[in-house]
Amino acid sequence: MNKAQKTETARMPEYRISQSESMQYKLLYQIRMGNMSANELDKLQFLCKQELHQLRSELDVMLQELRDMNEQMQGNKEHMEKDKESIAA
């Protein structure tokens, strides 16, 4: 994994709807009460889709990092087992 990918995961947007539980409740209330126009709902849907895509991308990067670490650990474990076998022989 290169440096650009690692710094990308560290960079967080200024604001996320999903990080504010109070904002989620406020939005749910506004939607249920019918206080949001179709235009506002469209904007909210766009922001949610954008945030979901961003979260999925970050999750993909983190999962790849975990897979890479697991491969390294498996490789180290196999290498250590071969060393033990050669020492025992």
Side-chain angles (χ1 to χ4, degrees):
M1 178 149 317
N2 62 29
K3 277 187 176 180
Q5 288 175 325
K6 286 187 180 183
T7 55
E8 183 178 349
T9 58
R11 187 183 60 203
M12 298 293 287
E14 292 179 21
Y15 172 76
R16 281 192 173 162
I17 295 169
S18 63
Q19 289 179 333
S20 172
E21 195 171 326
S22 62
M23 179 56 76
Q24 293 172 25
Y25 289 128
K26 287 177 186 178
L27 286 169
L28 284 172
Y29 178 79
Q30 293 296 324
I31 292 167
R32 287 181 181 148
M33 299 305 292
N35 295 338
M36 295 185 79
S37 68
N39 191 27
E40 290 171 320
L41 288 171
D42 289 343
K43 182 179 177 183
L44 180 60
Q45 182 178 17
F46 173 78
L47 291 172
C48 289
K49 281 183 179 181
Q50 192 175 31
E51 186 173 315
L52 180 60
H53 175 72
Q54 195 172 26
L55 290 168
R56 284 179 176 163
S57 296
E58 289 176 19
L59 181 59
D60 286 342
V61 170
M62 286 188 248
L63 287 171
Q64 187 58 50
E65 288 173 357
L66 286 172
R67 286 185 182 109
D68 292 345
M69 284 190 275
N70 186 43
E71 283 180 20
Q72 287 177 348
M73 290 173 66
Q74 293 299 324
N76 288 342
K77 188 185 286 185
E78 289 173 6
H79 188 270
M80 288 172 54
E81 287 175 6
K82 286 181 184 178
D83 286 348
K84 285 180 185 178
E85 290 173 4
S86 65
I87 292 172

